[in-house]
Amino acid sequence: MPKESFQNSPARERLPLFQLKELSRDFSLEGKRISVLSGLSLEIQEGSWVALVGKSGSGKTTLLQLLGGLDHPTRGTLLYRGEEMAKMGSARLTRLRSREFGFVFQNYHLLPELTAWENAAAPALGWREDRQKAYGRARSLLEEFGLGHRLHHHPRELSGGEQQRVAIARALIRNPPVILADEPTGNLDPASAHSVMEIFRRLHQKQGKTIVMVTHDKALAELAQEKFILQTP
C-alpha cells in the first residue's frame, strides 16, 4: 500500500500504538461476500497525526471503526499497545472506547434535546462520575473552542462548525490519548473547516494526542504527519 510520511519524525522512534497485520474485513450482501479491506498491514505510532485517504469504497471508515473497537476484522491481527483487540472482552473494549478513544463524526451525532454544555459533558456523567468536574471540564473546553456564549444553546441553534466543535469537546471530555475522526470537516464550509483543523493541530502539537483522521480533502490530508492511501480491493 502506498504511503507518504515525513522523515525523521520523533513518533517513529516509539513503539507502535496500533499494529495491523494482514487485516481483512468482509461483509455479506445478498449472499455475496464483499471485501472492503484485504490484507492490510501498517503501523500507527503513538503521538502521530495520520490521515487515511482513498477513493469511496476503499475502506477508510471501516478501518477507523476497527481501530476504535466498533467492529472486528474478518481475518488478520489488530493490536493496540501490543494487545490483540479481537481477544479483548466487552468490558475492556467498552473502557477503551470511553477512556482512551475520542470519536468525532462527520454528522456530529449530538443529542437534540441537550444543550451544547450537556452534550459535551454527557460521556462523563455515568454512575460514580464526578458530575461537577465533568460540567466544569465541558465548560472549559467549549470556552477554549470559542463557544462560551453558546453553552445553553441546543444543536438546532448552532451552525455546523459550532456543532462540530461541541462534538470535539465531547470527544475530549475524558482526555483520551487517541482521537479517531471520520471526515470531521466533510459538512463544513472552508472557514469552519479551518477552525476545526486548528483545534486538531493544537491537540497534536501541544497535547501530544494521537489523531487518526479519515478525509477526502487533499489539502487537509497534507496537514497530517503521515498519510496512508487505501486502495479499493
Side-chain angles (χ1 to χ4, degrees):
M1 180 183 64
K3 181 179 74 172
E4 298 179 11
S5 64
F6 292 111
Q7 299 298 315
N8 301 319
S9 164
R12 279 294 180 192
E13 300 174 1
R14 304 171 186 170
L15 293 175
L17 182 67
F18 291 101
Q19 289 177 285
L20 285 65
K21 302 176 182 179
E22 294 296 318
L23 198 73
S24 297
R25 182 65 173 100
D26 301 337
F27 294 91
S28 179
L29 180 63
E30 296 180 351
K32 296 181 180 180
R33 190 182 72 178
I34 299 175
S35 294
V36 178
L37 295 171
S38 181
L40 180 64
S41 296
L42 60 84
E43 294 181 351
I44 296 175
Q45 308 297 329
E46 187 166 9
S48 63
W49 183 354
V50 171
L52 303 177
V53 299
K55 295 180 180 179
S56 178
S58 61
K60 302 184 298 297
T61 293
T62 297
L63 176 54
L64 201 72
Q65 291 173 341
L66 291 170
L67 294 175
L70 299 172
D71 193 9
H72 294 294
T74 307
R75 295 176 300 282
T77 304
L78 169 57
L79 304 177
Y80 175 69
R81 300 189 187 276
E83 185 179 357
E84 188 169 353
M85 294 185 71
K87 295 182 179 179
M88 294 179 183
S90 59
R92 171 77 171 124
L93 283 172
T94 296
R95 182 172 179 81
L96 281 183
R97 290 191 293 262
S98 64
R99 300 283 184 176
E100 297 199 31
F101 301 153
F103 296 91
V104 180
F105 304 99
Q106 178 178 354
N107 293 322
Y108 325 131
H109 294 310
L110 300 178
L111 296 174
E113 68 274 16
L114 301 184
T115 64
W117 194 8
E118 291 167 336
N119 265 288
L125 296 179
W127 185 53
R128 291 186 177 178
E129 299 281 357
D130 187 331
R131 298 178 66 88
Q132 185 174 358
K133 183 177 179 180
Y135 276 112
R137 177 163 172 75
R139 176 190 284 272
S140 295
L141 286 166
L142 292 172
E143 289 176 346
E144 179 185 348
F145 298 162
L147 294 173
H149 62 303
R150 296 290 202 184
L151 294 177
H152 302 290
H153 288 68
H154 290 81
R156 64 181 179 276
E157 301 171 303
L158 304 174
S159 69
E162 289 171 335
Q163 289 186 63
Q164 190 61 295
R165 280 180 277 163
V166 173
I168 295 172
R170 178 184 60 192
L172 294 173
I173 191 65
R174 283 180 159 169
N175 196 27
V178 182
I179 303 299
L180 302 173
D182 191 3
E183 296 282 7
T185 63
N187 287 336
L188 304 182
D189 60 80
S192 296
H194 176 78
S195 176
V196 167
M197 285 300 98
E198 178 62 20
I199 291 173
F200 276 35
R201 185 191 65 78
R202 296 200 307 268
L203 291 172
H204 177 243
Q205 293 186 357
K206 296 185 178 181
Q207 298 185 30
K209 303 287 187 188
T210 301
I211 299 175
V212 184
M213 174 182 72
V214 168
T215 183
H216 67 277
D217 190 313
K218 293 181 179 179
L220 294 181
E222 292 301 324
L223 298 175
Q225 189 176 25
E226 286 190 294
K227 181 168 61 178
F228 290 104
I229 304 172
L230 275 64
Q231 307 288 358
T232 304

